[in-house]
Amino acid sequence: MCDICRRNFMRAAGAVVAGTSGLLSSSLVARAQQSSGAIPSRGEFVIANATVMTMDVTLGDITGGAVHVRNGEIVAVGRNVAGGGEQINAEGMIVMPGLIETHWHMWNTLYRSFAGDKADEGYFPTVARFGQQMAPADIFQGTRLAAAEAINSGTTTVHSWCHNVRSQAHAEADIRALAEVGVRARHSCGWPQGMPDTQMTDQAVIEALARDWKAWSNEGLITLGMAWRGQFRAGPIKPEIYQPEFDNARKLGLPITVHVGSSRKAVGQIEPLAKGKLLGKDVQLIHTLAATADELDMIKESGAAVSVSPGSELRIGYGYPQTSEMIAKGIPVGVSVDTSALTGSSNLFGVLKLLRDVENAKAGSEFHMSARRALELGTIDGARSMGIDDKVGSLVPGKRADLIAISTNALNMAVMTDPGHLALECTGPENVDTVVVDGRILKRGGKLTALDVPKVIAEARTALAGVRERTKWR
Ligand SMILES: [Zn+2]
């Protein structure tokens, strides 16, 4: 870029942001607020004067950097970037890729922190009992609440692990909620809560979705996968149940996701998958806390990815994730929320911080995992684990514009020191100033631009009251 271009750009940027002291211009905020209730269009803009953490090994961090976005695509990243459209001053902010979440039962966000302190009020009985009373509209409310929380806290990609598909309408409700919020997502279509493990999941639902997926994909922002029960749940599942489901996903060309080795006690569950040819690049394993070194080799050789969720794994007593062990083997690892019925808040920055701290505790070292490495797991590595790193996960020209700006102008984030440590160790949803998904600005100046937040909360509250009434739950 030439110096004249840069001067013109800086003049234009200065004209817009003069006097805003690092905040977005009030006119831009006002325009964003006017668009409340509808997803904003993809425009052209430059986010400038930021500390840009590209999460790309070549581009690295750029102090005083800018990102130019046009029609949903990142067109330039650097210190001297000339670009048209709106000029957004991000002085004092950390700009980085949006976080990539890789396994989340978003539908049961309706039961946030509902898992109680006694065995019959724990996560599984609570979710199974409520889940069986849910109408499609209740699924919609749970997933929309989760997706709104994702955007608000800087997560731009989610994996909606929908294991309460009681009908075609239930699956569609989950997908509609994702589309309404505008988040990038995979909907993995599963089985209904309460269905016996001796019964096959109704394949007609996922087949119908696959056949008509273009109509559901929200312009390619949402993809389809299969949430598979696998070979083990409370007990072993028979091959005549698990095999046809797995084979059908492969026939439909869909990625497969499965909980396996979910606690440190669930040993010996990887080898049967490998022997049964039930691993591969199209398979994502969830938790996988009990794999032996040999089994980790089997995962690596197959090309399968693993999603770890230290927030729920620690809360429910599953044990410590094997994150470092998997990274050492070269297994693609992503990080997940799992379920807010257990974890409460679904702020993925908090989960990443917990993950880093657990790995350092296991290793007995302050220096075992860097803050930067944990952030990679939440961005580019998460994208690799979901097979979408050609589109998102780092700020590189040509990728889709999924990015966030974190303001350090707050008591819990000031002052600007190391951006990696700050982003990992301090970021709460209130610090996430701006969120962009596929070039659409969904949060700006700390406010969601396309959602009526009081309405999202009120409707979720009403849905929960209805389910509690039908469930006869006090
Ligand atoms: Zn799960």
Side-chain angles (χ1 to χ4, degrees), residues 103-105 123 161 163 259 262 286-287 309 312 318 336-339:
H103 139 249
W104 186 358
H105 310 297
Y123 171 72
W161 218 103
H163 61 347
H259 296 91
S262 292
I286 309 294
H287 301 310
S309 61
S312 67
Y318 280 166
S336 55
V337 167
D338 194 354
T339 169

Side-chain angles (χ1 to χ4, degrees), residues 95-294:
V95 169
M96 61 178 285
L99 298 184
I100 311 249
E101 195 288 328
T102 61
H103 139 249
W104 186 358
H105 310 297
M106 297 175 79
W107 64 271
N108 68 34
T109 300
L110 213 52
Y111 314 116
R112 189 195 304 279
S113 291
F114 219 111
D117 296 322
K118 297 179 194 153
D120 61 350
E121 296 171 357
Y123 171 72
F124 288 105
T126 299
V127 164
R129 192 165 159 190
F130 277 138
Q132 292 177 63
Q133 296 298 326
M134 289 177 82
D138 303 316
I139 299 280
F140 178 88
Q141 293 300 337
T143 300
R144 186 176 66 174
L145 181 62
E149 188 188 2
I151 295 298
N152 193 47
S153 54
T155 297
T156 51
T157 296
V158 294
H159 181 186
S160 183
W161 218 103
C162 196
H163 61 347
N164 197 16
V165 176
R166 317 194 69 74
S167 71
Q168 175 97 18
H170 285 77
E172 292 176 0
D174 186 75
I175 300 160
R176 278 193 293 106
L178 298 168
E180 181 176 311
V181 174
V183 69
R184 191 180 299 278
R186 180 183 296 168
H187 161 88
S188 278
C189 187
W191 63 95
Q193 287 290 308
M195 188 179 83
D197 290 335
T198 49
Q199 193 179 324
M200 240 185 92
T201 304
D202 179 7
Q203 296 297 296
V205 176
I206 198 166
E207 285 170 2
L209 289 174
R211 204 163 41 236
D212 201 20
W213 187 251
K214 206 164 172 219
W216 290 107
S217 75
N218 196 22
E219 300 179 352
L221 218 59
I222 309 175
T223 58
L224 178 64
M226 179 187 280
W228 183 53
R229 281 174 300 174
Q231 299 176 307
F232 302 95
R233 295 222 330 130
I237 296 182
K238 291 188 170 155
E240 54 266 37
I241 301 296
Y242 70 71
Q243 191 72 50
E245 294 178 0
F246 186 92
D247 291 346
N248 202 32
R250 284 244 163 116
K251 196 177 102 199
L252 295 168
L254 299 176
I256 298 159
T257 177
V258 59
H259 296 91
V260 63
S262 292
S263 84
R264 290 311 279 257
K265 295 172 192 160
V267 294
Q269 296 191 357
I270 302 299
E271 194 172 356
L273 283 176
K275 284 189 171 156
K277 302 197 185 317
L278 300 166
L279 293 175
K281 278 195 168 53
D282 54 349
V283 178
Q284 180 203 43
L285 309 176
I286 309 294
H287 301 310
T288 316
L289 294 169
T292 62
D294 285 348

